[in-house]
Amino acid sequence: MMRHHFKHRVAVIAALAASVVGSSAHAHGRGGYAQQQGAHISQQQRPQQQRPQHATSQRAQTQVSDGAIAGVVSANNHLEISLAKIARKQARSREVKDFARDMLESHTHSERRLSTLVRRFRIQVQPTRVSAMLVGHAPLFAAYLRRQPAQKFDHAFIKSQVMTHRYTLRMLDEQLIPKVKEPALREELQRVREQVVNHLERAQTLHAKLAKQQGTSSGQGR
């Protein structure tokens, strides 16, 4: 049951990743509002793209501030940091532990750079539906991982990393980088994107390796 809920919550974040980041006015919907809206995101986005006659009004609706973008990146950093800390303690494989350590260091440094940047350019970080969803679901993702049996933890953690990094990359490419205005923030997001691509490739490689090992172990147990 917990596994089903985990997949559902990642799917909701994926739906939000395909949407406009959203305004700070909706950030209070971290629970019910965001989940209710997530199911309608794709349907809302498609009509917007198919109605060029309303380009002016649609452009006004899709304006996203740098503060909102920074808020999403920060929320994602904190999510990954929290999951990496759990994996450093509970992972059994040395490769998975090393991956978790690198994730922890990478996202910690990213958060520090982002904090310095928003102070320097006086960017006011703003909550959005996506950042609220990431913040709200972080403890649920963590609970899912903590409940995994020791022999299944590594596979569950790496699988979750593949999913979250895919959606992070999608958000960066489709919603965050195209809408950022401050050149320094855009440069930081490009740097974050490079890290996400690297993390995703490593996670996919580890996932394939762990899946193969799991299959081998199952075969030997028969």
Side-chain angles (χ1 to χ4, degrees):
M1 185 63 112
M2 176 63 72
R3 181 181 179 183
H4 170 73
H5 287 322
F6 174 77
K7 289 183 176 180
H8 169 70
R9 295 183 186 285
V10 173
V12 173
I13 292 177
L16 287 171
S19 74
V20 175
V21 173
S23 68
S24 58
H26 298 300
H28 66 278
R30 180 169 63 186
Y33 178 86
Q35 291 183 3
Q36 292 167 9
Q37 292 299 314
H40 303 294
I41 292 299
S42 297
Q43 295 177 356
Q44 291 174 349
Q45 185 185 26
R46 192 181 304 277
Q48 290 176 4
Q49 295 174 342
Q50 295 175 350
R51 297 176 183 175
Q53 65 269 30
H54 298 303
T56 301
S57 61
Q58 295 300 341
R59 194 181 305 117
Q61 292 178 15
T62 58
Q63 288 296 317
V64 180
S65 72
D66 285 353
I69 291 172
V72 172
V73 176
S74 180
N76 183 70
N77 281 334
H78 285 291
L79 169 64
E80 296 296 355
I81 287 171
S82 67
L83 300 185
K85 286 181 177 178
I86 295 171
R88 288 206 66 187
K89 293 181 179 179
Q90 295 186 216
R92 303 173 77 183
S93 163
R94 172 50 55 186
E95 288 179 294
V96 175
K97 282 184 175 291
D98 288 344
F99 177 81
R101 180 202 63 211
D102 292 345
M103 287 291 298
L104 180 58
E105 293 178 355
S106 177
H107 285 279
T108 298
H109 292 157
S110 174
E111 185 62 18
R112 289 173 181 170
R113 292 194 308 269
L114 183 64
S115 297
T116 299
L117 192 151
V118 297
R119 286 196 304 269
R120 178 182 176 187
F121 293 95
R122 298 181 180 180
I123 298 173
Q124 185 174 359
V125 178
Q126 299 172 342
T128 64
R129 289 183 305 212
V130 176
S131 62
M133 180 69 76
L134 290 167
V135 171
H137 285 10
L140 300 174
F141 284 14
Y144 165 79
L145 290 178
R146 289 194 179 100
R147 294 184 184 183
Q148 293 301 302
Q151 67 272 20
K152 294 183 178 181
F153 178 87
D154 289 9
H155 184 265
F157 170 68
I158 292 300
K159 185 175 182 179
S160 72
Q161 289 295 292
V162 171
M163 288 190 291
T164 57
H165 280 78
R166 279 176 178 167
Y167 299 139
T168 299
L169 184 60
R170 185 176 179 182
M171 281 195 292
L172 286 166
D173 285 346
E174 297 181 7
Q175 298 300 325
L176 304 183
I177 294 176
K179 293 180 172 62
V180 70
K181 302 173 186 64
E182 171 56 52
L185 182 58
R186 177 183 293 276
E187 183 178 346
E188 174 59 23
L189 262 59
Q190 292 287 2
R191 183 173 182 175
V192 169
R193 187 188 185 283
E194 291 178 6
Q195 293 175 342
V196 170
V197 170
N198 177 265
H199 294 161
L200 177 57
E201 289 175 350
R202 288 181 62 188
Q204 289 173 325
T205 299
L206 276 172
H207 182 261
K209 184 175 182 179
L210 291 170
K212 184 177 181 179
Q213 291 175 349
Q214 194 174 53
T216 301
S217 299
S218 299
Q220 292 175 346
R222 292 178 182 177

